[in-house]
Amino acid sequence: MSTAPAGSRQALRPWAGTRHLLRLALRRDRVRIPVWVLALAATAGATVPALEATYAGQQGAPARGALTDNPAGVLMLGPSFGERSPSLGAMTVSELGMTLYVATAVMAVLLTVRHTRAEEEAGRVDVVRALAVGRFAPAAAALGVTFLADLAVAVGIAVALVVTGLPVGGSAVFAASVGLVGTVFGAVAAVAAQLARHPRGTTGLALSVLAAAFALRGVGDVLDPTDGSWLSWLSPLAWAQQTRVFVDTRLWPLALLLAATSVLVAAAALLGVRRDLGSGLLPERRAPDHAGRLLHSAAGLAWRQLRSGMVAWGLALAGFAAAFGSLTEEMNEAVEQLPEVARWMAIAPEALTDSFAAVMLLYLSLGTAAFVLAGVLALVREEESGTGALVVVAGTSRTRWMGMWLVVTALGALVVQGLAGLALGVGVAVSTGEQARVGSLTVAALGYLPGVLVLGGVAAALVGWWPRAARPVAWVVLAHALLVAVLGPLLAVLGPLLQLPDAVINLSPLQLTPAMPLEAPDGGTLVLLLAGTLLLGGAGMVGLRRRDLAG
């Protein structure tokens, strides 16, 4: 792109330079987008044969029906659309649908914020706009990247479903619904970028809309578990589900998703004209004239930056834990009717409740690990924004700055994990009537914390020694732990198709953690995991002390 004379700025088309910016953004995300696409497509591809093996035979449909007829099951999966004996395709869409919708929406939000509000805050949009670039070009390129990523996800899911044996037509409609949910929430993030001033506020606002959409859809579906009530129709997630793929497939709900995307993109463009570059339309809360005493310390600054994430992750995991815990009795009945379910979820038939709780605690621990990684990797953002340098110049050593940040993150993980365990215990107690489960599962959840903190230690070491690669490598490590947790139990069902070497599986610290409450705590293993966390955190602080801070 070449510079334009000042007098010719008015002659620029609003979209001028979009193609060049789109190519640049795609180059920047040449790793990020393929990882999302492969992860979501692999999830779809692995689920079909697992469900086929698990629910095969005449007992399969009744066993699954015991799960989906429960209000908690409807809240998580959606309505049944009157399908009493679902086909493999219908079961796959029911199991996968909400997971893929939410995951694709989160991907779209993060990509849009990354290429809009985050670019503005970093000052790069000012530089770009000084060239021959139209007013709407940066936002158009950002949405272009997001929509192409959504398209790639849809294609990947469709291919995965067809390869595993599902009909082409239904697979294509379901994949299209997933991609269009992504475009809707990418456009929601574009609107949020005009309202909020900072990336975190933009992300929080967009994800709050996603959470509200999930809640409206869930409550509406519980009111009418067969078809969904009028309240469900207030949520774009319900529009995608109302395609009723493999049950009574219909295409017109996809038009609602397209229309919503178009309206939101137009709204983002209109709002963008009304604000100054770098500002937001929502009024900001007036800051006090003087910082409180807490912000005079490195620990206080870390708490100020991490507390909103701790609250959000804690409430989200607690909600999921309570919902899954309330399914305990239904899961026990399903295992008794269909032993293949136990093989799929690695549940021991002789200790059903303990096994189910152990599986749920493993999954919840992965959520806590995501909070820990986000907290530790925020150090990179603090460096890039210059805040880290200001803290050091003010007299705080680099070691103390990073050490206090890691301590606050660990304490936040303690709260998040404990809250998830408490909520799971309450759900199980309500389902089974065993009140003692509340305390025992809360304690068991804390037993997974050392393994979670090891993942945070890995991120800390990366931040200290290799900050530029810290974000992608740390999230790849968590993705490995997630794949091992999800695909490991499926090996008994899928056989050699998804076999992983034992050495690869044991690289995940959560796999080294005893499966509490099914297994007794292993003090030696937990101590080793804590020692590993301390060594990795210490290595990160040594690395930070030996290198220059980013400015």
Side-chain angles (χ1 to χ4, degrees), residues 111-125 139 142 189-203 275-282:
L111 286 176
T112 304
V113 174
R114 169 178 165 82
H115 292 291
T116 54
R117 179 53 68 182
E119 291 291 280
E120 285 192 40
E121 187 168 78
R124 286 186 283 269
V125 175
V191 173
Q194 314 309 316
L195 301 177
R197 182 175 182 179
H198 301 290
R200 282 187 300 168
T202 303
T203 303
R275 70 175 181 89
D276 294 328
L277 194 65
S279 66
L281 293 176
L282 291 179

PDB file of all heavy atoms in Angstrom, residues 111-125 139 142 189-203 275-282:
ATOM      1  N   LEU A 111     -11.223 -13.734  17.664  1.00  0.00           N
ATOM      2  CA  LEU A 111     -10.590 -13.273  16.425  1.00  0.00           C
ATOM      3  C   LEU A 111     -11.007 -11.844  16.091  1.00  0.00           C
ATOM      4  O   LEU A 111     -10.172 -11.015  15.697  1.00  0.00           O
ATOM      5  CB  LEU A 111     -10.961 -14.202  15.274  1.00  0.00           C
ATOM      6  CG  LEU A 111     -10.281 -15.580  15.240  1.00  0.00           C
ATOM      7  CD1 LEU A 111     -10.827 -16.400  14.091  1.00  0.00           C
ATOM      8  CD2 LEU A 111      -8.768 -15.439  15.115  1.00  0.00           C
ATOM      9  N   THR A 112     -12.280 -11.544  16.242  1.00  0.00           N
ATOM     10  CA  THR A 112     -12.748 -10.193  15.923  1.00  0.00           C
ATOM     11  C   THR A 112     -12.136  -9.157  16.841  1.00  0.00           C
ATOM     12  O   THR A 112     -11.676  -8.098  16.384  1.00  0.00           O
ATOM     13  CB  THR A 112     -14.286 -10.134  16.007  1.00  0.00           C
ATOM     14  OG1 THR A 112     -14.854 -11.116  15.137  1.00  0.00           O
ATOM     15  CG2 THR A 112     -14.795  -8.766  15.614  1.00  0.00           C
ATOM     16  N   VAL A 113     -12.105  -9.439  18.130  1.00  0.00           N
ATOM     17  CA  VAL A 113     -11.515  -8.491  19.078  1.00  0.00           C
ATOM     18  C   VAL A 113     -10.019  -8.325  18.806  1.00  0.00           C
ATOM     19  O   VAL A 113      -9.475  -7.217  18.869  1.00  0.00           O
ATOM     20  CB  VAL A 113     -11.758  -8.962  20.524  1.00  0.00           C
ATOM     21  CG1 VAL A 113     -11.021  -8.068  21.517  1.00  0.00           C
ATOM     22  CG2 VAL A 113     -13.250  -8.969  20.833  1.00  0.00           C
ATOM     23  N   ARG A 114      -9.363  -9.417  18.479  1.00  0.00           N
ATOM     24  CA  ARG A 114      -7.925  -9.366  18.200  1.00  0.00           C
ATOM     25  C   ARG A 114      -7.611  -8.416  17.051  1.00  0.00           C
ATOM     26  O   ARG A 114      -6.600  -7.700  17.086  1.00  0.00           O
ATOM     27  CB  ARG A 114      -7.439 -10.785  17.880  1.00  0.00           C
ATOM     28  CG  ARG A 114      -6.032 -10.898  17.301  1.00  0.00           C
ATOM     29  CD  ARG A 114      -5.688 -12.358  17.097  1.00  0.00           C
ATOM     30  NE  ARG A 114      -4.538 -12.566  16.247  1.00  0.00           N
ATOM     31  CZ  ARG A 114      -3.269 -12.496  16.635  1.00  0.00           C
ATOM     32  NH1 ARG A 114      -3.004 -12.200  17.889  1.00  0.00           N
ATOM     33  NH2 ARG A 114      -2.278 -12.710  15.794  1.00  0.00           N
ATOM     34  N   HIS A 115      -8.471  -8.380  16.033  1.00  0.00           N
ATOM     35  CA  HIS A 115      -8.173  -7.581  14.846  1.00  0.00           C
ATOM     36  C   HIS A 115      -8.910  -6.245  14.809  1.00  0.00           C
ATOM     37  O   HIS A 115      -8.805  -5.516  13.816  1.00  0.00           O
ATOM     38  CB  HIS A 115      -8.504  -8.389  13.586  1.00  0.00           C
ATOM     39  CG  HIS A 115      -7.602  -9.562  13.381  1.00  0.00           C
ATOM     40  ND1 HIS A 115      -6.272  -9.443  13.043  1.00  0.00           N
ATOM     41  CD2 HIS A 115      -7.828 -10.900  13.504  1.00  0.00           C
ATOM     42  CE1 HIS A 115      -5.721 -10.633  12.933  1.00  0.00           C
ATOM     43  NE2 HIS A 115      -6.641 -11.539  13.221  1.00  0.00           N
ATOM     44  N   THR A 116      -9.663  -5.917  15.861  1.00  0.00           N
ATOM     45  CA  THR A 116     -10.326  -4.616  15.912  1.00  0.00           C
ATOM     46  C   THR A 116      -9.850  -3.826  17.123  1.00  0.00           C
ATOM     47  O   THR A 116      -8.917  -3.039  17.026  1.00  0.00           O
ATOM     48  CB  THR A 116     -11.860  -4.792  15.946  1.00  0.00           C
ATOM     49  OG1 THR A 116     -12.223  -5.678  17.028  1.00  0.00           O
ATOM     50  CG2 THR A 116     -12.372  -5.364  14.644  1.00  0.00           C
ATOM     51  N   ARG A 117     -10.469  -4.063  18.257  1.00  0.00           N
ATOM     52  CA  ARG A 117     -10.173  -3.250  19.435  1.00  0.00           C
ATOM     53  C   ARG A 117      -8.738  -3.402  19.919  1.00  0.00           C
ATOM     54  O   ARG A 117      -8.104  -2.412  20.319  1.00  0.00           O
ATOM     55  CB  ARG A 117     -11.156  -3.615  20.552  1.00  0.00           C
ATOM     56  CG  ARG A 117     -10.947  -2.859  21.841  1.00  0.00           C
ATOM     57  CD  ARG A 117     -10.904  -1.372  21.657  1.00  0.00           C
ATOM     58  NE  ARG A 117     -12.174  -0.811  21.258  1.00  0.00           N
ATOM     59  CZ  ARG A 117     -12.367   0.483  20.995  1.00  0.00           C
ATOM     60  NH1 ARG A 117     -11.351   1.331  21.049  1.00  0.00           N
ATOM     61  NH2 ARG A 117     -13.548   0.924  20.619  1.00  0.00           N
ATOM     62  N   ALA A 118      -8.196  -4.619  19.865  1.00  0.00           N
ATOM     63  CA  ALA A 118      -6.809  -4.801  20.301  1.00  0.00           C
ATOM     64  C   ALA A 118      -5.840  -4.055  19.392  1.00  0.00           C
ATOM     65  O   ALA A 118      -4.829  -3.495  19.856  1.00  0.00           O
ATOM     66  CB  ALA A 118      -6.466  -6.294  20.333  1.00  0.00           C
ATOM     67  N   GLU A 119      -6.119  -4.022  18.089  1.00  0.00           N
ATOM     68  CA  GLU A 119      -5.270  -3.284  17.155  1.00  0.00           C
ATOM     69  C   GLU A 119      -5.351  -1.787  17.412  1.00  0.00           C
ATOM     70  O   GLU A 119      -4.343  -1.074  17.309  1.00  0.00           O
ATOM     71  CB  GLU A 119      -5.695  -3.586  15.721  1.00  0.00           C
ATOM     72  CG  GLU A 119      -5.408  -5.013  15.271  1.00  0.00           C
ATOM     73  CD  GLU A 119      -3.917  -5.261  15.136  1.00  0.00           C
ATOM     74  OE1 GLU A 119      -3.333  -4.872  14.119  1.00  0.00           O
ATOM     75  OE2 GLU A 119      -3.340  -5.838  16.083  1.00  0.00           O
ATOM     76  N   GLU A 120      -6.536  -1.292  17.751  1.00  0.00           N
ATOM     77  CA  GLU A 120      -6.668   0.123  18.069  1.00  0.00           C
ATOM     78  C   GLU A 120      -5.889   0.492  19.319  1.00  0.00           C
ATOM     79  O   GLU A 120      -5.190   1.502  19.358  1.00  0.00           O
ATOM     80  CB  GLU A 120      -8.147   0.486  18.250  1.00  0.00           C
ATOM     81  CG  GLU A 120      -8.930   0.575  16.958  1.00  0.00           C
ATOM     82  CD  GLU A 120     -10.289   1.214  17.172  1.00  0.00           C
ATOM     83  OE1 GLU A 120     -10.377   2.191  17.953  1.00  0.00           O
ATOM     84  OE2 GLU A 120     -11.271   0.740  16.587  1.00  0.00           O
ATOM     85  N   GLU A 121      -6.015  -0.339  20.358  1.00  0.00           N
ATOM     86  CA  GLU A 121      -5.332  -0.021  21.608  1.00  0.00           C
ATOM     87  C   GLU A 121      -3.822  -0.061  21.447  1.00  0.00           C
ATOM     88  O   GLU A 121      -3.100   0.726  22.077  1.00  0.00           O
ATOM     89  CB  GLU A 121      -5.767  -0.991  22.708  1.00  0.00           C
ATOM     90  CG  GLU A 121      -5.216  -0.619  24.072  1.00  0.00           C
ATOM     91  CD  GLU A 121      -5.862  -1.400  25.193  1.00  0.00           C
ATOM     92  OE1 GLU A 121      -5.499  -2.571  25.390  1.00  0.00           O
ATOM     93  OE2 GLU A 121      -6.729  -0.829  25.878  1.00  0.00           O
ATOM     94  N   ALA A 122      -3.336  -0.952  20.580  1.00  0.00           N
ATOM     95  CA  ALA A 122      -1.889  -1.036  20.343  1.00  0.00           C
ATOM     96  C   ALA A 122      -1.379   0.101  19.471  1.00  0.00           C
ATOM     97  O   ALA A 122      -0.167   0.273  19.331  1.00  0.00           O
ATOM     98  CB  ALA A 122      -1.547  -2.380  19.702  1.00  0.00           C
ATOM     99  N   GLY A 123      -2.280   0.868  18.844  1.00  0.00           N
ATOM    100  CA  GLY A 123      -1.867   1.989  18.009  1.00  0.00           C
ATOM    101  C   GLY A 123      -1.590   1.635  16.565  1.00  0.00           C
ATOM    102  O   GLY A 123      -1.249   2.511  15.766  1.00  0.00           O
ATOM    103  N   ARG A 124      -1.782   0.363  16.208  1.00  0.00           N
ATOM    104  CA  ARG A 124      -1.464  -0.037  14.836  1.00  0.00           C
ATOM    105  C   ARG A 124      -2.493   0.466  13.828  1.00  0.00           C
ATOM    106  O   ARG A 124      -2.167   0.696  12.666  1.00  0.00           O
ATOM    107  CB  ARG A 124      -1.328  -1.559  14.759  1.00  0.00           C
ATOM    108  CG  ARG A 124      -0.033  -2.075  15.377  1.00  0.00           C
ATOM    109  CD  ARG A 124       0.136  -3.560  15.148  1.00  0.00           C
ATOM    110  NE  ARG A 124      -0.697  -4.336  16.032  1.00  0.00           N
ATOM    111  CZ  ARG A 124      -0.302  -4.778  17.229  1.00  0.00           C
ATOM    112  NH1 ARG A 124       0.916  -4.498  17.677  1.00  0.00           N
ATOM    113  NH2 ARG A 124      -1.111  -5.494  17.991  1.00  0.00           N
ATOM    114  N   VAL A 125      -3.740   0.639  14.259  1.00  0.00           N
ATOM    115  CA  VAL A 125      -4.756   1.153  13.344  1.00  0.00           C
ATOM    116  C   VAL A 125      -4.444   2.591  12.950  1.00  0.00           C
ATOM    117  O   VAL A 125      -4.671   3.006  11.804  1.00  0.00           O
ATOM    118  CB  VAL A 125      -6.158   1.046  13.975  1.00  0.00           C
ATOM    119  CG1 VAL A 125      -7.207   1.699  13.078  1.00  0.00           C
ATOM    120  CG2 VAL A 125      -6.524  -0.417  14.201  1.00  0.00           C
ATOM    121  N   ALA A 139     -11.886  -2.745   9.968  1.00  0.00           N
ATOM    122  CA  ALA A 139     -12.979  -3.557  10.526  1.00  0.00           C
ATOM    123  C   ALA A 139     -13.456  -4.597   9.522  1.00  0.00           C
ATOM    124  O   ALA A 139     -13.769  -5.746   9.891  1.00  0.00           O
ATOM    125  CB  ALA A 139     -14.133  -2.652  10.944  1.00  0.00           C
ATOM    126  N   ALA A 142     -11.045  -7.415   9.532  1.00  0.00           N
ATOM    127  CA  ALA A 142     -11.190  -8.209  10.756  1.00  0.00           C
ATOM    128  C   ALA A 142     -12.369  -9.167  10.641  1.00  0.00           C
ATOM    129  O   ALA A 142     -12.263 -10.358  10.960  1.00  0.00           O
ATOM    130  CB  ALA A 142     -11.370  -7.284  11.956  1.00  0.00           C
ATOM    131  N   ALA A 189     -19.278  -9.206  18.389  1.00  0.00           N
ATOM    132  CA  ALA A 189     -18.009  -8.656  18.873  1.00  0.00           C
ATOM    133  C   ALA A 189     -17.651  -7.365  18.146  1.00  0.00           C
ATOM    134  O   ALA A 189     -17.075  -6.441  18.738  1.00  0.00           O
ATOM    135  CB  ALA A 189     -16.892  -9.685  18.699  1.00  0.00           C
ATOM    136  N   ALA A 190     -17.998  -7.268  16.854  1.00  0.00           N
ATOM    137  CA  ALA A 190     -17.737  -6.040  16.111  1.00  0.00           C
ATOM    138  C   ALA A 190     -18.546  -4.875  16.686  1.00  0.00           C
ATOM    139  O   ALA A 190     -18.047  -3.737  16.774  1.00  0.00           O
ATOM    140  CB  ALA A 190     -18.063  -6.241  14.630  1.00  0.00           C
ATOM    141  N   VAL A 191     -19.792  -5.137  17.075  1.00  0.00           N
ATOM    142  CA  VAL A 191     -20.595  -4.103  17.724  1.00  0.00           C
ATOM    143  C   VAL A 191     -20.007  -3.743  19.084  1.00  0.00           C
ATOM    144  O   VAL A 191     -19.896  -2.566  19.444  1.00  0.00           O
ATOM    145  CB  VAL A 191     -22.060  -4.567  17.874  1.00  0.00           C
ATOM    146  CG1 VAL A 191     -22.865  -3.574  18.696  1.00  0.00           C
ATOM    147  CG2 VAL A 191     -22.694  -4.755  16.503  1.00  0.00           C
ATOM    148  N   ALA A 192     -19.623  -4.771  19.843  1.00  0.00           N
ATOM    149  CA  ALA A 192     -19.036  -4.513  21.165  1.00  0.00           C
ATOM    150  C   ALA A 192     -17.760  -3.694  21.055  1.00  0.00           C
ATOM    151  O   ALA A 192     -17.448  -2.887  21.947  1.00  0.00           O
ATOM    152  CB  ALA A 192     -18.752  -5.843  21.865  1.00  0.00           C
ATOM    153  N   ALA A 193     -17.016  -3.866  19.958  1.00  0.00           N
ATOM    154  CA  ALA A 193     -15.780  -3.105  19.763  1.00  0.00           C
ATOM    155  C   ALA A 193     -16.053  -1.617  19.583  1.00  0.00           C
ATOM    156  O   ALA A 193     -15.162  -0.790  19.819  1.00  0.00           O
ATOM    157  CB  ALA A 193     -15.018  -3.647  18.547  1.00  0.00           C
ATOM    158  N   GLN A 194     -17.261  -1.271  19.157  1.00  0.00           N
ATOM    159  CA  GLN A 194     -17.611   0.156  19.042  1.00  0.00           C
ATOM    160  C   GLN A 194     -18.058   0.728  20.386  1.00  0.00           C
ATOM    161  O   GLN A 194     -17.996   1.937  20.595  1.00  0.00           O
ATOM    162  CB  GLN A 194     -18.735   0.350  18.016  1.00  0.00           C
ATOM    163  CG  GLN A 194     -18.563  -0.393  16.711  1.00  0.00           C
ATOM    164  CD  GLN A 194     -17.228  -0.174  16.061  1.00  0.00           C
ATOM    165  OE1 GLN A 194     -16.726   0.946  16.000  1.00  0.00           O
ATOM    166  NE2 GLN A 194     -16.634  -1.262  15.581  1.00  0.00           N
ATOM    167  N   LEU A 195     -18.512  -0.134  21.277  1.00  0.00           N
ATOM    168  CA  LEU A 195     -19.061   0.330  22.549  1.00  0.00           C
ATOM    169  C   LEU A 195     -18.001   0.429  23.641  1.00  0.00           C
ATOM    170  O   LEU A 195     -17.940   1.425  24.361  1.00  0.00           O
ATOM    171  CB  LEU A 195     -20.187  -0.614  23.000  1.00  0.00           C
ATOM    172  CG  LEU A 195     -21.370  -0.750  22.037  1.00  0.00           C
ATOM    173  CD1 LEU A 195     -22.363  -1.775  22.574  1.00  0.00           C
ATOM    174  CD2 LEU A 195     -22.050   0.591  21.814  1.00  0.00           C
ATOM    175  N   ALA A 196     -17.192  -0.617  23.782  1.00  0.00           N
ATOM    176  CA  ALA A 196     -16.181  -0.648  24.840  1.00  0.00           C
ATOM    177  C   ALA A 196     -14.864  -0.083  24.323  1.00  0.00           C
ATOM    178  O   ALA A 196     -14.570  -0.119  23.129  1.00  0.00           O
ATOM    179  CB  ALA A 196     -15.981  -2.079  25.331  1.00  0.00           C
ATOM    180  N   ARG A 197     -14.040   0.399  25.221  1.00  0.00           N
ATOM    181  CA  ARG A 197     -12.803   1.064  24.817  1.00  0.00           C
ATOM    182  C   ARG A 197     -11.611   0.127  24.794  1.00  0.00           C
ATOM    183  O   ARG A 197     -10.680   0.324  24.027  1.00  0.00           O
ATOM    184  CB  ARG A 197     -12.512   2.234  25.769  1.00  0.00           C
ATOM    185  CG  ARG A 197     -11.256   3.008  25.395  1.00  0.00           C
ATOM    186  CD  ARG A 197     -11.066   4.225  26.262  1.00  0.00           C
ATOM    187  NE  ARG A 197      -9.885   4.976  25.870  1.00  0.00           N
ATOM    188  CZ  ARG A 197      -9.480   6.096  26.450  1.00  0.00           C
ATOM    189  NH1 ARG A 197     -10.199   6.610  27.449  1.00  0.00           N
ATOM    190  NH2 ARG A 197      -8.396   6.712  26.051  1.00  0.00           N
ATOM    191  N   HIS A 198     -11.629  -0.908  25.631  1.00  0.00           N
ATOM    192  CA  HIS A 198     -10.469  -1.773  25.771  1.00  0.00           C
ATOM    193  C   HIS A 198     -10.800  -3.195  25.306  1.00  0.00           C
ATOM    194  O   HIS A 198     -11.975  -3.606  25.322  1.00  0.00           O
ATOM    195  CB  HIS A 198      -9.991  -1.799  27.223  1.00  0.00           C
ATOM    196  CG  HIS A 198      -9.620  -0.439  27.741  1.00  0.00           C
ATOM    197  ND1 HIS A 198      -8.509   0.247  27.303  1.00  0.00           N
ATOM    198  CD2 HIS A 198     -10.222   0.368  28.656  1.00  0.00           C
ATOM    199  CE1 HIS A 198      -8.432   1.409  27.918  1.00  0.00           C
ATOM    200  NE2 HIS A 198      -9.466   1.514  28.751  1.00  0.00           N
ATOM    201  N   PRO A 199      -9.796  -3.967  24.900  1.00  0.00           N
ATOM    202  CA  PRO A 199     -10.048  -5.342  24.431  1.00  0.00           C
ATOM    203  C   PRO A 199     -10.738  -6.213  25.458  1.00  0.00           C
ATOM    204  O   PRO A 199     -11.646  -6.988  25.121  1.00  0.00           O
ATOM    205  CB  PRO A 199      -8.644  -5.862  24.092  1.00  0.00           C
ATOM    206  CG  PRO A 199      -7.835  -4.647  23.817  1.00  0.00           C
ATOM    207  CD  PRO A 199      -8.385  -3.582  24.717  1.00  0.00           C
ATOM    208  N   ARG A 200     -10.319  -6.117  26.718  1.00  0.00           N
ATOM    209  CA  ARG A 200     -10.941  -6.965  27.736  1.00  0.00           C
ATOM    210  C   ARG A 200     -12.420  -6.632  27.905  1.00  0.00           C
ATOM    211  O   ARG A 200     -13.262  -7.521  28.054  1.00  0.00           O
ATOM    212  CB  ARG A 200     -10.207  -6.824  29.067  1.00  0.00           C
ATOM    213  CG  ARG A 200      -8.912  -7.601  29.129  1.00  0.00           C
ATOM    214  CD  ARG A 200      -8.332  -7.566  30.516  1.00  0.00           C
ATOM    215  NE  ARG A 200      -8.052  -6.199  30.952  1.00  0.00           N
ATOM    216  CZ  ARG A 200      -7.762  -5.834  32.183  1.00  0.00           C
ATOM    217  NH1 ARG A 200      -7.726  -6.733  33.136  1.00  0.00           N
ATOM    218  NH2 ARG A 200      -7.501  -4.576  32.490  1.00  0.00           N
ATOM    219  N   GLY A 201     -12.743  -5.336  27.884  1.00  0.00           N
ATOM    220  CA  GLY A 201     -14.137  -4.953  27.993  1.00  0.00           C
ATOM    221  C   GLY A 201     -14.953  -5.410  26.797  1.00  0.00           C
ATOM    222  O   GLY A 201     -16.095  -5.845  26.938  1.00  0.00           O
ATOM    223  N   THR A 202     -14.339  -5.334  25.609  1.00  0.00           N
ATOM    224  CA  THR A 202     -15.023  -5.787  24.400  1.00  0.00           C
ATOM    225  C   THR A 202     -15.282  -7.286  24.456  1.00  0.00           C
ATOM    226  O   THR A 202     -16.396  -7.752  24.170  1.00  0.00           O
ATOM    227  CB  THR A 202     -14.174  -5.457  23.163  1.00  0.00           C
ATOM    228  OG1 THR A 202     -13.918  -4.047  23.123  1.00  0.00           O
ATOM    229  CG2 THR A 202     -14.876  -5.882  21.896  1.00  0.00           C
ATOM    230  N   THR A 203     -14.261  -8.051  24.827  1.00  0.00           N
ATOM    231  CA  THR A 203     -14.415  -9.498  24.935  1.00  0.00           C
ATOM    232  C   THR A 203     -15.459  -9.859  25.984  1.00  0.00           C
ATOM    233  O   THR A 203     -16.318 -10.725  25.765  1.00  0.00           O
ATOM    234  CB  THR A 203     -13.074 -10.153  25.283  1.00  0.00           C
ATOM    235  OG1 THR A 203     -12.102  -9.801  24.294  1.00  0.00           O
ATOM    236  CG2 THR A 203     -13.200 -11.665  25.340  1.00  0.00           C
ATOM    237  N   ARG A 275     -17.989   7.384  16.486  1.00  0.00           N
ATOM    238  CA  ARG A 275     -16.985   7.459  17.557  1.00  0.00           C
ATOM    239  C   ARG A 275     -15.618   7.816  16.990  1.00  0.00           C
ATOM    240  O   ARG A 275     -15.348   7.628  15.807  1.00  0.00           O
ATOM    241  CB  ARG A 275     -16.894   6.128  18.308  1.00  0.00           C
ATOM    242  CG  ARG A 275     -16.267   5.004  17.507  1.00  0.00           C
ATOM    243  CD  ARG A 275     -16.106   3.749  18.344  1.00  0.00           C
ATOM    244  NE  ARG A 275     -15.488   2.669  17.574  1.00  0.00           N
ATOM    245  CZ  ARG A 275     -14.183   2.473  17.484  1.00  0.00           C
ATOM    246  NH1 ARG A 275     -13.350   3.288  18.114  1.00  0.00           N
ATOM    247  NH2 ARG A 275     -13.703   1.483  16.764  1.00  0.00           N
ATOM    248  N   ASP A 276     -14.766   8.320  17.867  1.00  0.00           N
ATOM    249  CA  ASP A 276     -13.389   8.614  17.498  1.00  0.00           C
ATOM    250  C   ASP A 276     -12.550   7.352  17.596  1.00  0.00           C
ATOM    251  O   ASP A 276     -12.813   6.465  18.420  1.00  0.00           O
ATOM    252  CB  ASP A 276     -12.791   9.686  18.427  1.00  0.00           C
ATOM    253  CG  ASP A 276     -13.480  11.029  18.259  1.00  0.00           C
ATOM    254  OD1 ASP A 276     -13.927  11.317  17.123  1.00  0.00           O
ATOM    255  OD2 ASP A 276     -13.571  11.771  19.247  1.00  0.00           O
ATOM    256  N   LEU A 277     -11.525   7.280  16.762  1.00  0.00           N
ATOM    257  CA  LEU A 277     -10.625   6.129  16.791  1.00  0.00           C
ATOM    258  C   LEU A 277      -9.961   6.019  18.159  1.00  0.00           C
ATOM    259  O   LEU A 277      -9.443   6.994  18.701  1.00  0.00           O
ATOM    260  CB  LEU A 277      -9.550   6.285  15.708  1.00  0.00           C
ATOM    261  CG  LEU A 277      -8.728   5.039  15.370  1.00  0.00           C
ATOM    262  CD1 LEU A 277      -9.611   3.963  14.770  1.00  0.00           C
ATOM    263  CD2 LEU A 277      -7.592   5.396  14.412  1.00  0.00           C
ATOM    264  N   GLY A 278     -10.000   4.813  18.749  1.00  0.00           N
ATOM    265  CA  GLY A 278      -9.393   4.586  20.057  1.00  0.00           C
ATOM    266  C   GLY A 278     -10.329   4.795  21.219  1.00  0.00           C
ATOM    267  O   GLY A 278      -9.976   4.491  22.360  1.00  0.00           O
ATOM    268  N   SER A 279     -11.527   5.312  20.957  1.00  0.00           N
ATOM    269  CA  SER A 279     -12.496   5.549  22.023  1.00  0.00           C
ATOM    270  C   SER A 279     -13.641   4.553  21.904  1.00  0.00           C
ATOM    271  O   SER A 279     -13.734   3.787  20.954  1.00  0.00           O
ATOM    272  CB  SER A 279     -13.039   6.982  21.950  1.00  0.00           C
ATOM    273  OG  SER A 279     -13.796   7.154  20.766  1.00  0.00           O
ATOM    274  N   GLY A 280     -14.526   4.579  22.899  1.00  0.00           N
ATOM    275  CA  GLY A 280     -15.712   3.743  22.883  1.00  0.00           C
ATOM    276  C   GLY A 280     -16.940   4.592  23.145  1.00  0.00           C
ATOM    277  O   GLY A 280     -16.849   5.680  23.728  1.00  0.00           O
ATOM    278  N   LEU A 281     -18.102   4.124  22.717  1.00  0.00           N
ATOM    279  CA  LEU A 281     -19.330   4.900  22.882  1.00  0.00           C
ATOM    280  C   LEU A 281     -19.902   4.813  24.288  1.00  0.00           C
ATOM    281  O   LEU A 281     -20.617   5.712  24.721  1.00  0.00           O
ATOM    282  CB  LEU A 281     -20.378   4.416  21.867  1.00  0.00           C
ATOM    283  CG  LEU A 281     -20.051   4.699  20.391  1.00  0.00           C
ATOM    284  CD1 LEU A 281     -21.116   4.083  19.492  1.00  0.00           C
ATOM    285  CD2 LEU A 281     -19.931   6.189  20.132  1.00  0.00           C
ATOM    286  N   LEU A 282     -19.619   3.722  24.988  1.00  0.00           N
ATOM    287  CA  LEU A 282     -20.121   3.608  26.361  1.00  0.00           C
ATOM    288  C   LEU A 282     -19.313   4.510  27.282  1.00  0.00           C
ATOM    289  O   LEU A 282     -18.082   4.563  27.196  1.00  0.00           O
ATOM    290  CB  LEU A 282     -20.028   2.165  26.848  1.00  0.00           C
ATOM    291  CG  LEU A 282     -20.975   1.153  26.194  1.00  0.00           C
ATOM    292  CD1 LEU A 282     -20.724  -0.231  26.774  1.00  0.00           C
ATOM    293  CD2 LEU A 282     -22.421   1.560  26.403  1.00  0.00           C
TER     294      LEU A 282
END
